[in-house]
Amino acid sequence: MDATLTLRDSRNLAWHEWGVAGGTPVLRLQGTPGSRLSRHPRLDVWERLGLRVVMTDRPGFGRSTRLPGRGVSDVADDLVELLDHLGLDSVPVLGQSGGGPHVLGLAARHPERVRAATVVVGAAPLADADLPHLVGLNAEAYRRIRSGGWNSLHALLAEQRLALLADPLAGLRRAMQGAPDSDWAVMADPVWQGAFAHGVREALRAGAEGWTDESIALLTEWDFAPEEVSTPVVWWHAWHNANVPPRAVERVTGRLPSVDLRVWDGCGHLESFHREQDVLADLLARAHKNCCQQLRVSMAASSPR
């Protein structure tokens, strides 16, 4: 299923369904830059779990209309319109890398639509002290935001976009200078390479403007406070993550009202390539538990006194 929804404000939202038709719906929010086609490289994982995985292009990526000046939580309203269109009430939600903050934004703005929430190597606002611990592109992006704002960052990402479109793997290797060995091992996997190239080419088809908008929204202070996220969150991170340093994550998770931070040792940002099934099984178990609890509360409330 690959389709486009016209939103209430007349923008387009492109979306795609993967996995098993009629399976358990999961809303999966990909990293940055990514698209509705930025799937996990091994689709059999989703099929074995019986999942119907819904993914979207965020504003300015793929076929989704750009929303200049947007924040992180602005995307939440688009996601709710899509859930309404699909007839889905509340769903388990997983966000990876740049998708992680969007999970939190959805949970802050529309908590009733999130049955369970998982963040995997999620992005976080950066500080000057994080610069020595970042891969090359992320460090330079942060410097550009600080020194020249949107225009300076856009010039950098427009150049990087051309490199990625011309040769996705060479462009990625240039961006990932400073990443740990475990990330380079993942990037050498042919199956991973094919999925990455497919997803990023679609993401950047329209230009670098959406990438610039999203990077500023993610790497600077968010348009919602972590304290607003009442939904319990499981956050998986990697100790040697050079895309999102653990100290940046700790600044966010320290403000979340209910979070279980689970750290993988000896690996980097791309570790979820090896962990997809375990992460999703945990998300589904928590979603099932929450559904049962809600059902018991509903039945107790409707029982005669």
Side-chain angles (χ1 to χ4, degrees):
M1 173 69 73
D2 193 75
T4 301
L5 173 67
T6 301
L7 300 170
R8 283 190 289 267
D9 64 3
S10 299
R11 287 182 297 115
N12 289 329
L13 174 68
W15 56 282
H16 192 97
E17 289 194 16
W18 302 91
V20 180
T24 301
V26 171
L27 181 60
R28 195 178 196 277
L29 310 181
Q30 69 282 352
T32 308
S35 69
R36 70 195 186 283
L37 305 183
S38 297
R39 60 175 176 83
H40 187 267
R42 302 192 185 280
L43 282 174
D44 60 310
V45 172
W46 294 351
E47 292 163 357
R48 282 198 303 272
L49 292 171
L51 301 183
R52 171 192 175 192
V53 180
V54 179
M55 299 181 65
T56 74
D57 290 338
R58 291 193 289 273
F61 292 107
R63 295 203 312 263
S64 286
T65 310
R66 184 185 169 212
L67 183 60
R70 74 163 180 90
V72 172
S73 68
D74 291 327
V75 176
D77 295 338
D78 296 352
L79 296 174
V80 166
E81 282 198 55
L82 177 60
L83 293 177
D84 289 342
H85 174 74
L86 297 175
L88 299 174
D89 183 18
S90 64
V91 293
V93 186
L94 180 149
Q96 182 170 327
S97 191
H102 292 90
V103 170
L104 303 180
L106 177 62
R109 202 148 170 166
H110 301 282
E112 74 284 356
R113 309 306 292 266
V114 179
R115 185 163 294 178
T118 291
V119 173
V120 182
V121 295
L126 296 177
D128 291 349
D130 299 321
L131 280 171
H133 309 286
L134 288 167
V135 294
L137 180 62
N138 288 16
E140 182 60 21
Y142 178 71
R143 291 190 191 98
R144 295 287 186 102
I145 293 170
R146 295 271 293 172
S147 63
W150 193 94
N151 289 333
S152 180
L153 178 61
H154 180 259
L156 172 70
L157 297 185
E159 178 184 353
Q160 182 67 22
R161 169 183 176 266
L162 294 177
L164 284 167
L165 291 177
D167 187 334
L169 298 177
L172 178 65
R173 292 186 188 107
R174 187 175 75 173
M176 290 287 283
Q177 292 300 316
D181 291 344
S182 61
D183 283 350
W184 290 100
V186 173
M187 288 188 283
D189 185 288
V191 176
W192 186 92
Q193 291 174 352
F196 170 77
H198 190 208
V200 80
R201 279 185 165 136
E202 177 63 18
L204 300 177
R205 62 186 295 182
E209 290 76 17
W211 190 4
T212 306
D213 296 337
E214 179 153 301
S215 297
I216 290 176
L218 293 175
L219 300 182
T220 61
E221 188 170 353
W222 296 339
D223 61 343
F224 68 98
E227 290 83 357
E228 298 174 43
V229 182
S230 58
T231 304
V233 176
V234 168
W235 188 311
W236 301 87
H237 210 69
W239 187 251
H240 297 292
N241 193 327
N243 290 64
V244 188
R247 64 178 66 193
V249 170
E250 289 169 350
R251 289 195 297 267
V252 174
T253 55
R255 297 172 59 190
L256 290 170
S258 178
V259 62
D260 181 0
L261 178 59
R262 304 177 184 179
V263 180
W264 298 313
D265 195 12
C267 52
H269 192 66
L270 304 181
E271 177 63 16
S272 59
F273 172 62
H274 303 296
R275 310 274 187 162
E276 180 80 358
Q277 182 162 329
D278 291 342
V279 167
L280 281 171
D282 174 81
L283 174 66
L284 294 174
R286 288 185 288 113
H288 178 71
K289 180 180 178 181
N290 292 341
C291 183
C292 291
Q293 289 175 341
Q294 291 168 4
L295 180 60
R296 286 196 292 270
V297 170
S298 176
M299 292 177 64
S302 61
S303 297
R305 300 285 180 181

